[in-house]
Amino acid sequence: MNTTDLTKDPRALASIVNAFARAGVWDEALFRHMSRVARMTEPKALSVNDCAALVGAFSKAQTRAGARLRDGALFRRLSLTVQAKEPSAFTPRAVSNILSSFARAGVWDRVLFKRITRIALNLTDGEERIPFRGFKAQELASMAWAVAKAFGSNHKEVAWVCMSGGHNITQSFFSVVADEVRRRGWSEFKNREAATLLWALGPSPPPKKEKDMEYLDLTAHEKAQSEHH
């Protein structure tokens, strides 16, 4: 497939980079080319799942030992694309994959994290509309880890408006996670998932050093471009 064909088939694009990442084949020339193709693709054509697959593959490519690839432009583009999607387009798996991929890559896009955590709190399951009920154990642990990493020493203060019993209330993201963990019981989590949750819910981690951070402060022009698409 040529570049033009790939821009018209974002699912194929996402599948290709995800397949290379899963196989551990780190052809950086290929990943750079696919990044250009992804950034050329019409944002409306990219589904939330496509975006999740792309950031997942690129986060692995960038953080492997000896990696020279560093693609902030792609993460910036996909952040804007994801933020423009309707909440109904998200699933627990997509939420977890997107947040954990940005955190793994060290891209601390606070606006994106705030947007997605709000959506996550309102992804309820069943008539009781209880937050996080529909998340698998691994998805819950990965999401909590990512948000804790993103907000550093202030992660306990992450609080957004969510639905509860048909009313809008303000709840701490981590208090809701803790409530769901208590409801399920620790026996429902594998050792690695439990360790991840204990870290995320425990004492605040030390603030990250500035050199270890990559914030995506979007310009007015970039925001306007995103809104236009």
Side-chain angles (χ1 to χ4, degrees):
M1 298 178 72
N2 59 35
T3 298
T4 302
D5 289 336
L6 280 173
T7 61
K8 296 178 181 178
D9 192 352
R11 181 167 295 181
L13 169 66
S15 295
I16 290 169
V17 295
N18 194 45
F20 272 77
R22 289 174 66 88
V25 179
W26 307 114
D27 184 336
E28 292 200 352
L30 172 75
F31 274 84
R32 289 191 176 93
H33 174 68
M34 291 301 188
S35 171
R36 289 192 294 272
V37 173
R39 285 181 278 120
M40 290 168 59
T41 301
E42 179 69 24
K44 290 181 180 179
L46 286 163
S47 71
V48 170
N49 288 336
D50 294 334
C51 293
L54 286 167
V55 295
F58 273 84
S59 69
K60 293 173 184 174
Q62 292 185 182
T63 55
R64 78 189 195 286
R68 292 178 306 219
L69 183 67
R70 188 68 174 169
D71 201 337
L74 176 69
F75 280 87
R76 181 189 297 269
R77 176 74 167 183
L78 292 179
S79 170
L80 288 169
T81 300
V82 167
Q83 290 179 56
K85 300 298 183 183
E86 293 295 323
S88 59
F90 291 81
T91 63
R93 181 178 180 181
V95 164
S96 175
N97 287 348
I98 290 169
L99 293 180
S100 61
S101 295
F102 269 77
R104 185 188 302 115
V107 181
W108 312 113
D109 185 343
R110 299 289 180 86
V111 176
L112 172 75
F113 273 78
K114 289 177 181 179
R115 165 75 172 157
I116 304 303
T117 50
R118 285 192 184 97
I119 289 173
L121 281 166
N122 288 294
L123 281 177
T124 55
D125 184 49
E127 295 182 358
E128 296 180 71
R129 296 185 61 81
I130 299 175
F132 305 149
R133 184 65 58 90
F135 281 72
K136 295 179 180 178
Q138 182 180 5
E139 294 166 349
L140 186 66
S142 294
M143 176 177 61
W145 170 83
V147 178
K149 290 281 286 186
F151 286 89
S153 60
N154 295 317
H155 80 272
K156 290 290 189 185
E157 300 174 13
V158 183
W160 317 124
V161 174
C162 64
M163 291 294 296
S164 179
H167 301 286
N168 286 331
I169 61 172
T170 300
Q171 286 186 279
S172 163
F173 174 85
F174 285 95
S175 71
V176 181
V177 172
D179 288 344
E180 181 60 15
V181 171
R182 281 192 291 268
R183 186 194 69 80
R184 298 186 190 193
W186 287 107
S187 61
E188 294 296 313
F189 298 90
K190 295 179 181 178
N191 289 343
R192 184 172 182 177
E193 296 162 353
T196 299
L197 283 164
L198 285 169
W199 179 86
L201 296 171
S204 301
K208 303 175 187 69
K209 297 179 181 178
E210 285 296 327
K211 68 182 181 63
D212 295 329
M213 292 181 173
E214 181 180 341
Y215 286 101
L216 298 186
D217 296 322
L218 303 177
T219 65
H221 174 67
E222 288 170 319
K223 290 179 180 177
Q225 281 187 317
S226 175
E227 292 169 359
H228 175 70
H229 288 301

